[in-house]
Amino acid sequence: MVLEATMICIDNSEWMRNGDYSPTRLQAQVDAVNLICGAKTQSNPENTVGILTMAGKGVRVLVAPTSDLGKILACMHGLELGGEMNMTSGIQVAQLALKHRQNKKQQQRIIVFTGGPVKYDKKVLVAIGRKLKKNSVALDIVNFGEADNAKPEKLEAFRAAVNNNDSSHIVHVPPGPNALSDVLISTPIFTGDGDGGSGFAAAAAAASGMSGFDFGVDPNVDPELALALRISMEEERARQEAAAKKDAEDAAKQEKEGEQASSSRDVTMADPASGSAHQVSEKKNELMDDETALLQQALAMSMDDTRSSGLAMGDANMSDTTSDGQELAFALQMPVQENAKDSSNQSEMNRVLGDQSYVSSILNSLPGVDPNDPSVKELLASLERDSEQKNKEDKPDDSGDN
Amino acid sequence: MDSAAASAIPRGQVDLVDFVDWSGVECLNQSTSHSLTNALKQGYRDDVGLHLESDADEQLLIYIPFTQVIKLHSVVIKGPEEEGPKTVKLFTNKEHMGFSNVSDFPSSDSIALSPDNLKGKPVNLKYVKFQNVRSLTIFIEDNQGGNDVSKVQKIVLYGTTVDTTNMKDLKKIEEH
C-alpha cells in the first residue's frame, strides 16, 4: 500500500521486433506494462503511473503519471519500433517527470525494460544510479532480450548504485515459452516489496492460467470446484514431470542399470518417509540417485530392455489419482508422488505387490512390455520375494508396535 | 561568547523543536542508518553516538515544516571537525525542493560554518528574512574536509512563534 508514482520506460528499439518472446518482444513488454499498471493502481488507488518510450526518434513521454488506467492502456496502441534505446536520457526524463508529479507525497519509482544491448559504461550507469539514490528514486530493471556478456553485470551494478534499503530490484527474464508478464508476476517488481500487490498478483496469476493462492477459487465459497482444480492441477503436474524426467534420463540410463535391484528396495522403503518427488532440494542426495536409478529402470522396462531387473512396483499404489493406462504408466515411472503417508503405505504396498494379478495387469498396460518376456517373469518372481521379505519385516514392526 | 553562553538559549528565543511538524520532515540523500531524527529530535540529538550522515555524496537537503508560523533567529549546527558541514544555505517556505533547484532561486541566507560553530556556537541569521517562516529547507552543500560524507551531530533552531509574540518579547529582541 505504498503511495507511489511510477514511470515505466519502454524499450521500442529495433531489437524488439524479435519473436523470441511471443508474439514479439514489444508486445510482451506491452502486456507486462499493462499488468504492472493494474497492479500498482490496485494496490493503492492514489498511485500514479506514467509511460515513456526510450527509442525511436527520441525519448518521448506517452503519458504523464496518472491513475487513469484507461489512458495508460490507450497510449500504448500503435507504438512504433525503431532506433536504439537511449537509456540514460530515458531515465533522466523519467526522473524529471516524477519530480513534477502532482502529489509530492508519493514515492518515486522508475521501471526500465532493457531489451536491446546496453552501450553505456558501468561508470556512467553507476553515476546515474547515485544521482537517483540521492533524489530518493527507486529503480526496477527488467532485463530481457539481448543477452551479451557484460549486460547483466552492468545492470546489476546499476541497481546496486541506486539501491536504498532493498527498494530497487532487477529481474532477468530469459527467452522461453513463459510470457514476460507471467515471469514478472512473481517478482518483487509486481508484489511491491512484499505487501500490497500480492492480492492482485494472485488474481492476475489465476487469470493467466496458473494456480495462485487457493487456485483462484476460495475453498470456502466453492469447495468442489477448488478440489477439482487441485486434483487436475496435480495430474497435470504429474504428466509434465514424467515427460521432463523421460527427457532427462535418456543420456544417463546406461550407467545406472547395475544398481537398480538394491536401489529399488531402498526407494520403496524410503517412499513413506519422504515428501514429494521433484522438489529435489527437499530430498537427500542419496535418495535422488535412487530415484533416477528407479526411473531409469522403469524407462528401461517400458522400452523392453532385457538388462533391467528391478521395477519400482511400489509406485503402483501411487496410481490412485489416475485411471487410464497411459497415466498409470507415467505414475509407475515416477518414484514418489506427493502425500506419501507412513505405515499405512507400507502395508498397502505389500498387499499390492503380493497381488500377482494386479501386478501383471499393470505390466500389460505398460507400453512395450511383453508379459511373456523372461526378464519380466523374473522380475515378478523377485517382487514376490520382495513382498515376502517385507511382510516378514512388517511383522516384527507390528509386534514391536504392539 | 564563551562556550557556556554558546549553549544557552539566546534571549527571548525558544528552541523551535517543539514546533516542528514531524510528519512532513524530509531529508534527501541521508543514509538510512543515520537519519535526520538523530540530529533533530530531542534526546537523539544530544546522544553523541547518533548523527545524521549523507549517503551518495556529501550534500544534504533537509526540509522542516513547522506547525505554525515562526520567526527564525539563529541556528546551531554541531558536527565533527572534518565531516561537519561548511556551506549551508537556508530557504524559507519552499516545499519539496530537490538538489536540482537549489540554485534556481537565491537562498534566504547562506552561512559558512567555522569550527567554532561546529562546536555549538550559534549562527545569527538575517532575521529580517526569516519573519514569516512556515517551512525551512536546509541545504548542506559541502563539508569542512571536502569528504564524500557529511556528518551532522545536532541541529537546533532558535526563534519565536508569531502567535505568541507580544510586545514585551519584541522589545527584548530589539535589545538583543
Side-chain angles (χ1 to χ4, degrees):
Chain A
M1 294 299 277
V2 179
L3 184 56
E4 212 170 47
T6 310
M7 276 303 286
I8 304 184
C9 303
I10 297 185
D11 182 1
N12 60 334
S13 60
E14 280 293 342
W15 282 269
M16 296 302 107
R17 287 191 203 277
N18 198 332
D20 54 359
Y21 298 80
S22 65
T24 60
R25 287 180 181 174
L26 181 68
Q27 200 50 47
Q29 265 189 93
V30 169
D31 292 338
V33 170
N34 288 340
L35 272 176
I36 293 177
C37 295
K40 295 281 178 198
T41 41
Q42 206 184 58
S43 82
N44 187 331
E46 283 190 59
N47 280 350
T48 56
V49 183
I51 318 258
L52 62 82
T53 53
M54 294 191 285
K57 291 215 185 95
V59 175
R60 198 160 69 97
V61 176
L62 298 176
V63 62
T66 170
S67 51
D68 183 355
L69 205 55
K71 212 162 159 191
I72 297 169
L73 298 180
C75 82
M76 287 199 287
H77 284 288
L79 274 182
E80 289 184 0
L81 290 176
E84 231 183 15
M85 162 178 82
N86 190 345
M87 191 160 73
T88 45
S89 308
I91 291 182
Q92 281 169 349
V93 172
Q95 216 181 327
L96 204 61
L98 286 173
K99 202 168 100 149
H100 295 288
R101 64 196 186 282
Q102 280 185 317
N103 181 356
K104 301 286 182 188
K105 290 212 192 296
Q106 288 167 328
Q107 306 270 347
Q108 302 171 69
R109 181 174 289 273
I110 300 179
I111 303 182
V112 181
F113 284 83
T114 54
V118 173
K119 61 181 186 268
Y120 307 101
D121 265 354
K122 207 194 271 198
K123 265 186 266 176
V124 172
L125 292 178
V126 167
I128 296 179
R130 288 174 72 222
K131 233 180 90 179
L132 286 176
K133 180 152 91 151
K134 198 171 155 184
N135 288 298
S136 74
V137 178
L139 179 71
D140 289 334
I141 307 176
V142 179
N143 177 19
F144 69 107
E146 295 300 310
D148 61 36
N149 290 339
K151 191 177 171 198
E153 59 166 288
K154 273 188 202 171
L155 295 176
E156 281 286 350
F158 192 17
R159 179 206 92 106
V162 185
N163 193 17
N164 188 4
N165 245 1
D166 276 339
S167 63
S168 300
H169 314 99
I170 181 168
V171 180
H172 304 276
V173 185
N178 298 329
L180 191 58
S181 26
D182 289 343
V183 175
L184 284 179
I185 280 174
S186 53
T187 61
I189 291 181
F190 233 95
T191 57
D193 296 341
D195 59 319
S198 53
F200 183 85
S208 64
M210 281 164 29
S211 296
F213 174 70
D214 283 351
F215 300 88
V217 173
D218 188 353
N220 294 330
V221 170
D222 200 345
E224 292 144 20
L225 181 57
L227 188 64
L229 283 171
R230 194 184 320 140
I231 289 180
S232 71
M233 152 111 152
E234 283 168 4
E235 284 182 27
E236 179 64 41
R237 206 192 305 153
R239 232 173 287 159
Q240 283 177 1
E241 284 171 345
K245 274 272 180 182
K246 220 174 177 178
D247 296 337
E249 282 155 21
D250 285 336
K253 160 174 85 109
Q254 308 298 327
E255 299 141 32
K256 292 283 188 173
E257 305 287 351
E259 312 161 15
Q260 283 160 6
S262 52
S263 54
S264 71
R265 216 167 297 161
D266 290 342
V267 175
T268 49
M269 292 298 272
D271 272 351
S274 61
S276 60
H278 276 267
Q279 284 67 25
V280 172
S281 54
E282 295 168 27
K283 282 186 165 291
K284 298 165 205 150
N285 288 331
E286 176 194 6
L287 201 53
M288 188 166 79
D289 291 338
D290 291 340
E291 276 175 53
T292 39
L294 206 55
L295 282 167
Q296 281 146 13
Q297 301 166 27
L299 187 63
M301 279 285 328
S302 65
M303 291 187 146
D304 207 358
D305 189 337
T306 56
R307 275 180 293 160
S308 70
S309 55
L311 182 66
M313 286 322 254
D315 295 330
N317 74 321
M318 300 299 187
S319 61
D320 49 12
T321 58
T322 62
S323 50
D324 63 340
Q326 193 68 7
E327 292 292 336
L328 206 56
F330 284 132
L332 285 173
Q333 285 172 19
M334 292 185 51
V336 182
Q337 218 7 317
E338 54 272 275
N339 301 327
K341 295 145 205 155
D342 287 351
S343 51
S344 57
N345 256 0
Q346 195 136 21
S347 46
E348 256 185 65
M349 239 194 303
N350 293 333
R351 273 184 265 120
V352 163
L353 287 175
D355 190 347
Q356 178 78 344
S357 56
Y358 184 41
V359 164
S360 42
S361 73
I362 289 169
L363 284 177
N364 282 336
S365 66
L366 282 176
V369 173
D370 184 0
N372 297 322
D373 195 345
S375 63
V376 174
K377 285 192 172 162
E378 192 187 346
L379 164 70
L380 285 174
S382 74
L383 278 165
E384 278 183 44
R385 267 182 271 123
D386 277 357
S387 59
E388 283 169 22
Q389 272 190 346
K390 278 199 193 122
N391 280 330
K392 284 186 204 145
E393 284 165 23
D394 244 7
K395 275 173 197 159
D397 285 345
D398 288 344
S399 59
D401 289 341
N402 293 337
Chain B
M1 268 196 204
D2 56 22
S3 50
S7 48
I9 297 176
R11 272 178 59 164
Q13 310 299 325
V14 293
D15 187 341
L16 294 172
V17 71
D18 302 322
F19 302 104
V20 170
D21 177 11
W22 294 104
S23 63
V25 165
E26 276 170 24
C27 181
L28 287 185
N29 200 28
Q30 64 180 338
S31 134
T32 32
S33 49
H34 301 277
S35 64
L36 180 59
T37 41
N38 290 350
L40 208 50
K41 261 197 172 160
Q42 204 114 42
Y44 290 84
R45 65 188 185 184
D46 294 312
D47 186 343
V48 184
L50 296 175
H51 58 270
L52 164 67
E53 202 174 285
S54 69
D55 196 0
D57 63 9
E58 74 280 2
Q59 298 186 337
L60 280 165
L61 194 59
I62 304 168
Y63 172 69
I64 306 174
F66 297 100
T67 52
Q68 52 177 292
V69 179
I70 49 122
K71 299 180 200 272
L72 194 60
H73 178 262
S74 52
V75 296
V76 170
I77 299 181
K78 271 175 90 167
E81 270 185 45
E82 276 298 298
E83 297 107 341
K86 187 160 85 178
T87 314
V88 178
K89 293 197 170 134
L90 298 167
F91 300 84
T92 54
N93 301 333
K94 296 273 185 328
E95 314 265 295
H96 303 108
M97 284 182 71
F99 287 103
S100 45
N101 50 4
V102 282
S103 40
D104 285 351
F105 25 73
S107 58
S108 305
D109 203 354
S110 172
I111 35 184
L113 292 174
S114 64
D116 275 346
N117 296 125
L118 287 177
K119 292 209 178 64
K121 185 170 157 199
V123 181
N124 289 337
L125 306 168
K126 292 190 187 122
Y127 197 45
V128 282
K129 302 251 175 148
F130 292 95
Q131 289 297 299
N132 199 357
V133 178
R134 270 228 144 256
S135 72
L136 182 68
T137 305
I138 303 174
F139 172 49
I140 296 175
E141 199 164 351
D142 51 26
N143 54 47
Q144 299 283 333
N147 303 332
D148 269 344
V149 174
S150 299
K151 292 187 183 162
V152 181
Q153 187 65 41
K154 186 169 170 178
I155 299 178
V156 189
L157 308 165
Y158 292 112
T160 51
T161 58
V162 172
D163 291 342
T164 60
T165 305
N166 57 31
M167 293 312 292
K168 257 178 136 187
D169 282 349
L170 269 175
K171 264 206 203 143
K172 278 187 190 159
I173 289 164
E174 274 163 22
E175 282 167 15
H176 198 274

